[in-house]
């Protein structure tokens, strides 16, 4: 089978029959060997029966959520290609040929673009049209270097085996973003075609929640990009904190009528520590995601991990700790010079703050080095006690012995059979009285 049209369904009795008939009409018009799969997510309004009567195959999916329903339908699909779209009659299932043409040409994922194809009046709320979708699509293009203009279009087509190979994880509305992101990271052939969006045919409110689902999409995009979530903000904070700390460690700095002193030095120290922690988190997150298969292998990160051994991390952390201890000793000497009495905070904090900062960063470096080493432990399976070749040979030998025994038994039965027949004939030739 070439094409499966998968529609998630949760109480779509008003529109599901229309969507199914449109998809089947597309198959008939273009001579496509296809099917319609309704991934029912627990409808209570009779959507299942209406879909069956219209000619669809209904697959029940017990796990709630948009992504779970779609993955249940995709796994149950029989087609080489899959088109997914909502069962609310907002997408035109009679105009799937551009998607199928791109798939036949070798594409792994073909996205619809509603902004290029046309959005009918009332089909999309203004907040989604002018803020939500453009902003989230821009974030996706920025974070993952994708060329897709409409990250959240519900009508899209793909090779079934390519998507199953990714092992998509999310079960909610963010499934739409995960599919594009994972395909982009896997270097799949991702293309885009214009499509239209019409007002849905339902009388009830849509399942989509503007702020909740918008946040889930944004959260997913950030969590799948440690570079933008941790690394870039961390490097920025570290740079500002380091510049400020070095400039203020020798004395106050004046910019026009504004004077920056030890209070700013404390803030610069906090920025340096927070930035350093964020950079470490970026590395740890990336290593963990690579080890677990959430993100593809990154050679640059691997080189950093290979060069950053536990021993080197402990040495760097130890040197930072030594610098911090030297600073604390210097502060004690400074205090002793004032007979352990009251100190001028402007002078004492310029010694204590850098020393405390070095100590904090030393422990961060040591703990991060230990954690990276733990993540680097590969899961290995011990070799089997017996050699597989020897075990296979034993099985073959046992089978040969068994066959030979069965053949010998059969041969003995054939030899004994004539003797038994002769004995029976002799018995029959005897006089009955004699036999008695």
């Amino acid at each position: 089978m070439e094409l499966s049209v998968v529609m998630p369904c949760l109480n779509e009795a008003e529109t599901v029959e229309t969507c199914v008939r449109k998809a089947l009409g597309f198959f008939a018009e273009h001579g496509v060997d296809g099917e319609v799969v309704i991934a029912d997510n627990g409808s209570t309004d009779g959507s299942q029966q209406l879909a069956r009567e219209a000619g669809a195959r209904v697959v029940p999916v017990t796990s709630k959520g948009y992504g779970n329903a779609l993955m249940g339908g995709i796994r149950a699909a029989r087609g080489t290609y899959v088109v997914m779209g909502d069962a609310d009659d907002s997408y035109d299932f009679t105009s799937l040929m551009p998607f199928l043409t791109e798939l036949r040409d070798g594409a792994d994922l073909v996205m619809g673009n509603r902004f290029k194809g046309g959005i009918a009046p009332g089909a999309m709320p203004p907040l989604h049209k002018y803020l939500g979708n453009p902003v989230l699509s821009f974030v996706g293009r920025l974070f993952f270097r994708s060329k897709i203009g409409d990250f959240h279009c519900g009508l899209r087509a793909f090779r079934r085996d390519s998507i199953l190979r990714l092992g998509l994880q999310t079960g909610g509305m963010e499934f739409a973003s995960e599919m594009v992101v994972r395909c982009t990271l896997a270097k799949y052939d991702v293309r885009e075609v214009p499509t239209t969006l019409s007002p849905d045919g339902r009388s009830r409110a849509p399942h989509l929640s503007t702020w909740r689902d918008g946040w889930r999409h944004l959260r997913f995009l950030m969590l799948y990009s440690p570079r933008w979530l941790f690394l870039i903000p961390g490097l920025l904070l570290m740079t500002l904190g380091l510049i400020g700390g070095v400039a203020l460690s020798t004395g106050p700095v004046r910019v026009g009528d504004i004077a920056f002193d030890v209070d700013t030095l404390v803030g610069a120290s906090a920025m340096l520590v927070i930035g350093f922690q964020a950079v470490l988190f970026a590395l740890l997150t990336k290593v963990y995601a690579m080890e677990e298969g959430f993100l593809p292998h990154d050679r640059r990160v691997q080189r950093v991990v290979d060069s950053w051994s536990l021993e080197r991390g402990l040495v760097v952390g130890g040197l930072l700790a030594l610098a911090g201890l030297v600073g604390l000793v210097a502060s004690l000497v400074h205090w002793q010079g004032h007979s352990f009495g009251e100190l001028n905070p402007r002078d004492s904090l310029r010694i204590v703050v850098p020393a405390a900062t070095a100590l904090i960063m030393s422990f961060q470096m040591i703990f991060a080095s230990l954690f990276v080493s733990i993540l680097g432990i590969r899961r290995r399976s011990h070799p089997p006690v017996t050699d597989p070749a020897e075990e296979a040979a034993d099985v073959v030998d046992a089978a040969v012995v068994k066959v030979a025994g069965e053949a010998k038994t059969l041969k003995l039965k054939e030899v004994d059979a004539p003797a038994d027949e002769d004995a029976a004939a002799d018995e029959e030739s005897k006089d009955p009285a004699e036999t008695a």
Side-chain angles (χ1 to χ4, degrees), residues 283-355:
L283 179 62
L284 298 176
T285 303
K286 190 74 173 182
V287 173
Y288 174 77
M290 287 166 51
E291 293 293 331
E292 295 298 324
F294 299 139
L295 292 177
H297 187 77
D298 193 324
R299 294 181 180 179
R300 293 172 298 179
V301 175
Q302 192 61 51
R303 284 197 296 268
V304 172
V305 173
D306 292 340
S307 61
W308 183 15
S309 63
L310 174 60
E311 292 74 15
R312 291 180 181 178
L314 294 177
V315 169
V316 174
L319 292 176
L320 285 173
L322 181 61
L325 292 174
V326 169
L328 292 179
V329 171
S331 68
L332 290 175
V333 173
H334 175 71
W335 190 21
Q336 183 185 24
H338 290 75
S339 301
F340 297 104
E342 186 176 353
L343 296 174
N344 183 354
R346 292 186 174 182
D347 297 328
S348 60
L349 287 178
R350 284 190 170 85
I351 303 174
V352 175
V353 170

Side-chain angles (χ1 to χ4, degrees), residues 30 34 36-37 63 136 162 167 186-187 211 240 248 252 265 309 393:
H30 296 277
V36 178
V37 178
S63 299
L136 290 174
S162 297
K187 307 298 183 184
W211 297 106
L240 294 176
L248 295 169
L265 176 62
S309 63

Side-chain angles (χ1 to χ4, degrees), residues 7 37-42 52 57-62 69 72-73 75-77:
M7 305 179 195
V37 178
I38 298 298
D40 185 70
N41 211 199
R52 291 191 187 96
R57 180 162 60 94
V58 178
V59 177
V61 181
T62 56
R75 292 193 183 98

